[in-house]
Amino acid sequence: MKIYNTLSRRKEELVPQNKDMLTMYVCGPTVYNYIHIGNARPFVVFDTMRKYLKYRGQNVKYVQNFTDVDDKIINRAREEGISALEVADKYIAEYFKDAKELNITPADVHPRVTETMPDIIAFVQGLIDKGMAYEVDGDVYYETRKFPKYGLLSGNFIEQLEVGARIPEGEKKKDPLDFALWKARKSEDEIAWESPWGMGRPGWHIECSTMSKKYLGETIDLHAGGQDLQFPHHENEIAQSEGLSGKKFSNYWMHNGFITVNNEKMSKSLNNFFTVRDILKEYDGEVLRFFLLSAQYRGPINFSHELMEEAKTSLERMRECKRNLKAAVPAEKDDADKIAALDGFKNKYIEAMDDDLNTAGAIGVLFELVREINTNLRDGVSAAYKDAALKLLDELTEVLGILRKEDTEEIDADLQALIDKRQAARAAKDWATADAIRDELAAKGITLKDTKDGIQIIRN
Ligand SMILES: [Zn+2]
């Protein structure tokens, strides 16, 4: 598989150091709120990357952290009158609910900053011992000029950064380019840990360097995240990790593009800021996942109601094909040539995904497959074709994390009771009652469709 490596600025064959286990680190959320769709994109994209690697037989160790100490969390805790840890616990639980709806498989390790404190302190001390960092009144700073390779990932080199750079009021660092590794506590009510430099807490960048090293080693295969993290976050991670180990931090870097809303940048001030939870009120999580994968991950993606409706319709077309295939009564016929033709779709799909995780291309191939299956279903298919096509559709959609829901869904008793009541009303030609139940179900996002195999439940 080839991926575009941000570090080299070209597509390269992805070769892990150890072929038995590819190590992958993805920057996780700062847990002070529900995740928004901009956060969700990297989680969905890189979860798909991992699923695809596994599909191709590559074992992956996947680490995604939770930043559970941060100014935003501290502020939120003050607003809500609870502790910073309670805020973090709450939004970690909410993250997992959203992730489940989006069919994101939990990482192998989800480390938390608060559980990694001794390692972070040791990392910072290691940088001081190596002469890469210094302490001033309880704050510790990384001395950026001591790392000559600074800027290789993002193109923000020291010579460019020093133009017009000033030290902000109140900061005691030696050089405007230096960044915080450890921050002294500013007030008694602020969450803080004991350290060789007094009570304080880590800076954001050092967390990822430490957690990556702790769970995946000094050199990892792949580090991924949103484009907005490239600078300064990822650049600083490299400076810290390589400054300490003297070894390359990550061989490959992948960055996903931005999300715009109605072609404008998403921001709270424009009031076009959507959390995943907002979207889930209106759409099934799979629709959002499908939408996020409908564009190549490196490009921007525009979110709008119309595009979500399109995604919903497209996904439903795929679901319908799968249901029809499942319901098809096999015919006595020899369609070995059609079974053999299925391989062509699989190969094209792999070709698309092998080319820098081109999910948009892979989805295009899936629709070609759907058209082919629909055509064959009209002519009748053998039991062997039915099995082979279902298996292929299933494995290719599983990699993208779509078409998972209807397989596992069980109809709850309340819903079944409503359906039975509607059927009874229809049988009695009591259209008023039947329509009222239909509206009640519609309000819950459920449509009933009468088919020759009985009633089909469609969740919107
Ligand atoms: Zn990070």
Side-chain angles (χ1 to χ4, degrees), residues 14-24 50 53-54 57-63 108 215-217 219-222 251:
L14 176 63
V15 185
Q17 305 160 84
N18 169 0
K19 67 174 170 38
D20 297 329
M21 187 62 79
L22 184 144
T23 50
M24 183 169 177
R50 172 205 202 187
L53 287 168
K54 290 199 167 182
Q58 175 64 59
N59 273 326
V60 179
K61 185 169 181 190
Y62 192 95
V63 176
D108 297 304
Y215 294 99
L216 300 172
T219 301
I220 64 169
D221 294 311
L222 175 59
N251 286 329

Side-chain angles (χ1 to χ4, degrees), residues 191-262:
I191 186 166
W193 284 261
E194 267 191 60
S195 79
W197 322 287
M199 295 298 284
R201 63 192 164 89
W204 174 36
H205 317 301
I206 196 71
E207 303 165 359
C208 284
S209 280
T210 307
M211 289 187 270
S212 180
K213 179 185 173 207
K214 181 173 183 182
Y215 294 99
L216 300 172
E218 285 176 327
T219 301
I220 64 169
D221 294 311
L222 175 59
H223 193 121
Q227 207 179 75
D228 52 329
L229 298 184
Q230 219 182 99
F231 183 83
H233 185 54
H234 289 161
E235 199 68 66
N236 290 354
E237 282 186 38
I238 294 174
Q240 295 163 159
S241 295
E242 300 192 2
L244 184 68
S245 73
K247 294 172 192 158
K248 195 169 185 183
F249 174 42
S250 180
N251 286 329
Y252 302 88
W253 287 83
M254 283 172 94
H255 290 99
N256 65 274
F258 291 114
I259 290 198
T260 54
V261 175
N262 297 317

Side-chain angles (χ1 to χ4, degrees), residues 2 5 28 151 279 353 427:
K2 281 194 169 172
N5 187 354
I279 312 295
M353 293 291 272

Side-chain angles (χ1 to χ4, degrees), residues 45-112:
V45 164
F46 300 118
D47 173 67
T48 305
M49 175 74 181
R50 172 205 202 187
K51 286 184 164 88
Y52 181 65
L53 287 168
K54 290 199 167 182
Y55 172 63
R56 301 284 278 139
Q58 175 64 59
N59 273 326
V60 179
K61 185 169 181 190
Y62 192 95
V63 176
Q64 184 184 297
N65 68 296
F66 286 115
T67 294
D68 61 349
V69 195
D70 184 87
D71 283 338
K72 294 192 195 95
I73 299 173
I74 292 169
N75 291 339
R76 185 88 185 196
R78 284 187 183 130
E79 276 164 34
E80 295 194 8
I82 55 176
S83 74
L85 287 178
E86 283 170 315
V87 171
D89 283 344
K90 175 179 169 187
Y91 289 107
I92 286 174
E94 299 298 347
Y95 165 83
F96 281 118
K97 285 185 203 164
D98 287 338
K100 186 162 186 271
E101 290 301 316
L102 292 169
N103 294 341
I104 295 171
T105 309
D108 297 304
V109 193
H110 276 289
R112 294 175 61 159

